[in-house]
Amino acid sequence: NKRKPIERQNQIISQNLNEQMKIFILQSSPLVQRSKHGLRKAPDPLDFVAEKAIFREVFSNSDVNLVFDIATTSRLQYCVTTKARVLHYSGYGSIEYLAFEDNRGCLHQLYESTIKKVISAGKVQGQNNLKFVFVSACNSLQSGQAFVNAGVPHVICSKQDSALLAVAVLEFTKQLYKSLVNGFTVNESFKMAKNAILVTPEVGNKDRYSEIDKFLL
């Protein structure tokens, strides 16, 4: 039996994660943000040290080239220009935008229309080179939809009005990429990543099912 197109794409992503390719990990933690009253302190920084350790552990025995960088629009454009297949964004999200940074470490609000425009520019013969995006941020449904509208076939994000528990995000991330690098499809890896939250002791019993319900594919 022939695989359906979506199943083939699932399998291609998993196979490519064992080949020499780049994964762009764009991380955003602005120092300040502008308001009508001037500059004010941005939210507390996220634990990027733990996230980097997860990526390095998961891909330690593969040929994947991990590219860690600050989430700026220029780096997002560079990701598209180099025909990357996988993009992982980590930072703060809101219902209306993703928190990127400008060249001075100030909050740069990246709205859905801008995300779609930048990502759509990477299309070749109507197909987007980006095949998988994980928007690891709270309230990221609208931003995730922007990547879908730009032609990315597989996008993971979170529900609107959903604050993610940090330890749950880290466990989800670890199992997701561990499953992908071992040849599981995106759908299978997504389910396994959600199950990882269920068996994580640091996630309280009352939080486990509510946390896994926040992640969307």
Side-chain angles (χ1 to χ4, degrees):
N1 295 333
K2 293 183 177 180
R3 285 182 178 269
K4 297 178 182 179
I6 192 70
E7 292 175 335
R8 288 201 300 271
Q9 290 174 357
N10 264 301
Q11 200 63 45
I12 287 170
I13 294 168
S14 299
Q15 290 171 349
N16 283 345
L17 285 180
N18 279 310
E19 299 173 0
Q20 190 167 8
M21 65 171 291
K22 289 181 180 180
I23 296 180
F24 278 79
I25 302 105
L26 299 184
Q27 300 170 320
S28 175
S29 185
L31 299 175
V32 292
Q33 58 188 76
R34 295 184 181 90
S35 71
K36 61 182 180 180
H37 302 296
L39 296 178
R40 61 188 178 93
K41 187 178 181 297
D44 293 335
L46 300 170
D47 189 0
F48 293 144
V49 174
E51 186 178 65
K52 286 182 179 179
I54 285 173
F55 274 100
R56 287 171 176 148
E57 176 188 344
V58 170
F59 293 100
S60 59
N61 294 319
S62 74
D63 292 327
V64 171
N65 181 15
L66 301 174
V67 181
F68 295 97
D69 214 328
I70 298 172
T72 64
T73 52
S74 64
R75 301 317 290 170
L76 180 61
Q77 288 179 311
Y78 178 71
C79 170
V80 172
T81 302
T82 56
K83 299 181 179 180
R85 297 299 179 97
V86 178
L87 169 63
H88 178 97
Y89 165 86
S90 184
Y92 286 101
S94 80
I95 294 175
E96 297 180 341
Y97 63 83
L98 282 183
F100 270 56
E101 298 184 32
D102 65 15
N103 293 329
R104 297 182 178 181
C106 189
L107 171 66
H108 178 197
Q109 299 169 343
L110 204 65
Y111 291 91
E112 178 183 1
S113 58
T114 304
I115 294 173
K116 181 181 177 181
K117 184 175 182 179
V118 172
I119 302 302
S120 296
K123 286 185 178 180
V124 177
Q125 296 181 344
Q127 298 293 317
N128 205 301
N129 285 301
L130 264 178
K131 302 302 181 186
F132 177 76
V133 174
F134 180 11
V135 186
S136 183
C138 303
N139 308 308
S140 57
L141 176 59
Q142 189 165 320
S143 297
Q145 189 63 49
F147 285 101
V148 174
N149 293 341
V152 180
H154 303 288
V155 179
I156 293 177
C157 58
S158 69
K159 289 183 175 180
Q160 299 291 63
D161 300 318
S162 294
L164 300 174
L165 192 62
V167 64
V169 174
L170 290 174
E171 288 300 322
F172 181 93
T173 300
K174 183 176 183 179
Q175 185 59 57
L176 174 72
Y177 289 105
K178 185 182 293 184
S179 300
L180 285 172
V181 81
N182 280 287
F184 290 93
T185 66
V186 174
N187 290 331
E188 292 166 344
S189 300
F190 179 72
K191 293 175 182 177
M192 294 171 76
K194 293 205 295 184
N195 287 338
I197 296 175
L198 292 178
V199 297
T200 300
E202 291 80 7
V203 180
N205 290 329
K206 67 177 182 178
D207 296 322
R208 289 175 183 172
Y209 287 97
S210 62
E211 285 300 311
I212 66 172
D213 190 49
K214 294 175 183 177
F215 293 92
L216 301 172
L217 172 62

